[in-house]
Amino acid sequence: MKQYLSIKDISNLQIAIDEAIELKKNPYQFEQLGRQKTICLLFFNNSLRTRLSTQKAAMNLGMRVMVMNFGDEGWQLEFEDGIIMDQHKAEHIKEAAQVVSQYCDIVAVRAFAELKDKQEDEAEKVLRGFAKYATIPVVNMESSTAHPLQALADAITIEEHNTVERPKVVLSWAPHPKALPHAVANSFVKMMRQHQAEFVITHPPGYALNPEITNGCKIVHDQEKALENANFVYVKNWSSYTDYGKVLQLDASWTMTRAKLGIAQFMHCLPVRRNMVVEDAILDSDKSLVTEQANNRTFAAQWVLKQLLESL
């Protein structure tokens, strides 16, 4: 693997899951692999799990870690070609990516959707700019449309907690007061398309995801019907895709409750708004896998970094 921009960069998901679980048993077995190697983590947006888990994964592999928060510390970057840079942006992505490539061996980038212009967000200018101009491997720590590190961690979590041959996995929309991106849901859908499971997406009308991503998936607008006999329920809010970036409703009937969850195990990428997205009775119970998912973020990132180090 030469880069990790999408869950599709994994050629065999099951092998990746199995190897990540083995890494988890002995996280330091490859710490010589990253000796005298450096990773640079570039954050254009806030982070808790992504920053700490990726940093921990790199250290488990013996790497040095540099972190930069562009919002507070870096020059504003220009991504357009041929532009006269006479406004507020001081540095072009061409120079920035090439300079970063001299300082480290791998660069990881986090840059969210702005949810104002669909075409702008789907152009993925930050992530693709670094992928185009950097001369080192690039890792996606969440972009406008994808969160492949989270998706791999989710796959690991399902594998560890699954007890049936073909589990039923439901991705359910939930209410949220803010407009949220589609990245986590998009990558989860792409991951589940590679997984041996019965997969169902449920959301209210108006909240369909990008149809190019969900094409062929079973979509049910009746949440309780979709949840019947589920083994895993992944709850996540996302804003409207057709009425791009808008919050169309705050329907509390879509909040995940203990009664609706049934026998299923609950998943969420965190952070989560208690008693709006999901009630306390789930998060504080043994049905919740959210801390296990967060823990597996380290081993998902570690598996990815190991692949990239081995390709250097």
Side-chain angles (χ1 to χ4, degrees):
M1 188 162 63
K2 302 296 184 182
Q3 61 183 3
Y4 190 62
L5 307 182
S6 166
I7 192 74
K8 291 183 177 180
D9 287 326
I10 298 175
S11 59
N12 188 309
L13 180 62
Q14 189 60 53
I15 289 175
I17 293 169
D18 293 342
E19 290 181 351
I21 291 173
E22 285 301 309
L23 276 175
K24 190 174 180 179
K25 295 175 182 177
N26 183 4
Y28 306 109
Q29 60 185 302
F30 297 103
E31 61 183 335
Q32 291 302 311
L33 185 61
R35 184 173 178 271
Q36 297 185 355
K37 301 292 185 183
T38 301
I39 184 171
C40 183
L41 310 182
L42 301 179
F43 291 91
F44 291 80
N45 297 97
N46 295 338
S47 177
L48 174 65
R49 278 150 296 277
T50 298
R51 174 171 176 168
L52 297 180
S53 62
T54 307
Q55 196 165 350
K56 176 65 173 175
M59 293 189 296
N60 285 352
L61 292 168
M63 300 185 76
R64 301 185 179 102
V65 182
M66 298 189 296
V67 179
M68 184 171 182
N69 297 300
F70 261 84
D72 301 323
E73 302 167 349
W75 303 111
Q76 289 197 48
L77 296 183
E78 179 60 67
F79 296 92
E80 300 293 339
D81 288 332
I83 195 168
I84 298 174
M85 291 176 58
D86 61 353
Q87 300 298 313
H88 60 285
K89 295 182 179 179
E91 184 160 15
H92 202 281
I93 182 61
K94 290 182 180 181
E95 286 76 48
Q98 292 175 54
V99 167
V100 169
S101 298
Q102 296 178 84
Y103 298 154
C104 55
D105 302 281
I106 297 172
V107 60
V109 181
R110 182 175 177 91
F112 292 171
E114 293 188 3
L115 295 176
K116 297 176 181 177
D117 185 312
K118 184 189 295 186
Q119 289 185 326
E120 282 286 311
D121 285 344
E122 291 186 339
E124 294 278 23
K125 290 183 178 180
V126 179
L127 182 69
R128 291 179 184 174
F130 277 96
K132 181 176 181 180
Y133 295 112
T135 56
I136 57 177
V138 177
V139 175
N140 182 353
M141 294 193 297
E142 187 172 359
S143 65
S144 296
T145 66
H147 198 347
L149 287 175
Q150 181 67 55
L152 179 54
D154 297 336
I156 295 166
T157 306
I158 291 172
E159 179 76 13
E160 288 181 318
H161 292 272
N162 183 40
T163 59
V164 299
E165 183 175 350
R166 188 169 183 265
K168 180 178 179 181
V169 181
V170 178
L171 172 63
S172 177
W173 180 92
H176 195 284
K178 293 175 60 179
L180 295 186
H182 307 92
V184 170
N186 286 345
S187 288
F188 188 76
V189 172
K190 289 180 180 179
M191 180 274 289
M192 288 306 305
R193 295 177 77 102
Q194 301 179 50
H195 205 283
Q196 296 300 313
E198 177 187 354
F199 180 52
V200 179
I201 303 170
T202 184
H203 58 74
Y207 280 102
L209 294 163
N210 183 343
E212 293 183 8
I213 294 173
T214 60
N215 182 38
C217 293
K218 183 177 181 180
I219 300 172
V220 178
H221 295 300
D222 182 331
Q223 186 191 40
E224 295 200 26
K225 184 174 180 59
L227 293 171
E228 289 177 0
N229 302 314
N231 300 104
F232 297 91
V233 176
Y234 199 115
V235 175
K236 183 71 180 80
N237 173 268
W238 57 86
S239 54
S240 176
Y241 182 77
T242 51
D243 195 0
Y244 190 68
K246 298 295 191 298
V247 176
L248 304 180
Q249 59 171 301
L250 293 174
D251 187 348
S253 70
W254 281 78
T255 297
M256 188 55 56
T257 66
R258 187 68 182 82
K260 286 192 288 186
L261 186 68
I263 65 167
Q265 299 183 83
F266 175 83
M267 301 178 70
H268 191 283
C269 61
L270 300 182
V272 63
R273 297 207 179 211
R274 283 173 171 258
N275 303 308
M276 182 160 201
V277 172
V278 55
E279 64 180 13
D280 286 340
I282 292 176
L283 287 172
D284 296 332
S285 76
D286 60 3
K287 290 293 184 181
S288 175
L289 300 180
V290 298
T291 56
E292 285 87 344
Q293 287 173 264
N295 187 40
N296 282 332
R297 290 294 309 279
T298 295
F299 306 104
Q302 191 168 340
W303 182 86
V304 168
L305 295 180
K306 179 177 178 289
Q307 307 308 304
L308 297 178
L309 286 170
E310 290 173 342
S311 71
L312 293 178

